[in-house]
Amino acid sequence: MSVTARRMLLLGPPLALALWETIHPRPDVNTEAVMEIATWFMTFHLVQLPLTVLVALSVYLLADSLGRARAWTTIVGLAVFMVFFSAYDAWAGIATGNAMRSARDLAPAEQDVVFEVVED
């Protein structure tokens, strides 16, 4: 891998994810506000997942020069991180957006019930 490509993979994904996180949707905690941004919330988390995978690749490249034992522990740590944080956060965001988007056609009382489930 060329030096330029390696530097791009080391710096690009963490910077891109950091910038992406600055526009994370933060609606008021009520049914109407969450329903208004449901599609954006779902889209945000769909984009977040591959960015997090690229950040994991950046960490792997940093650990590449540490040696076998340390690199092995880094790989295990990255796998745990990818499963328990990244995948959970992405699926929770996608499910929240999808549930609230699907609730748009329901009666207001039913929308409140969907919101309570999503909020929990």
Side-chain angles (χ1 to χ4, degrees):
M1 177 181 303
S2 73
V3 173
T4 304
R6 184 175 173 88
R7 285 183 183 164
M8 296 271 302
L9 281 172
L10 286 172
L11 297 173
L15 290 173
L17 183 62
L19 289 173
W20 186 248
E21 290 296 329
T22 64
I23 60 171
H24 190 287
R26 295 185 199 326
D28 293 333
V29 184
N30 61 52
T31 306
E32 295 81 25
V34 175
M35 211 168 311
E36 286 177 17
I37 63 142
T39 302
W40 166 236
F41 202 78
M42 195 168 60
T43 303
F44 177 88
H45 286 90
L46 281 169
V47 172
Q48 181 187 22
L49 187 59
L51 282 174
T52 308
V53 171
L54 290 172
V55 168
L57 176 62
S58 296
V59 172
Y60 177 76
L61 287 174
L62 281 171
D64 192 33
S65 62
L66 295 177
R68 285 187 172 270
R70 291 186 199 159
W72 181 83
T73 57
T74 301
I75 291 169
V76 170
L78 285 171
V80 169
F81 168 75
M82 290 304 300
V83 170
F84 289 103
F85 169 74
S86 180
Y88 164 76
D89 186 58
W91 282 114
I94 293 165
T96 297
N98 193 32
M100 293 308 294
R101 193 175 65 163
S102 298
R104 287 181 181 160
D105 297 330
L106 301 175
E110 293 170 327
Q111 290 174 351
D112 290 338
V113 170
V114 172
F115 177 71
E116 287 176 23
V117 170
V118 165
E119 189 178 31
D120 287 341

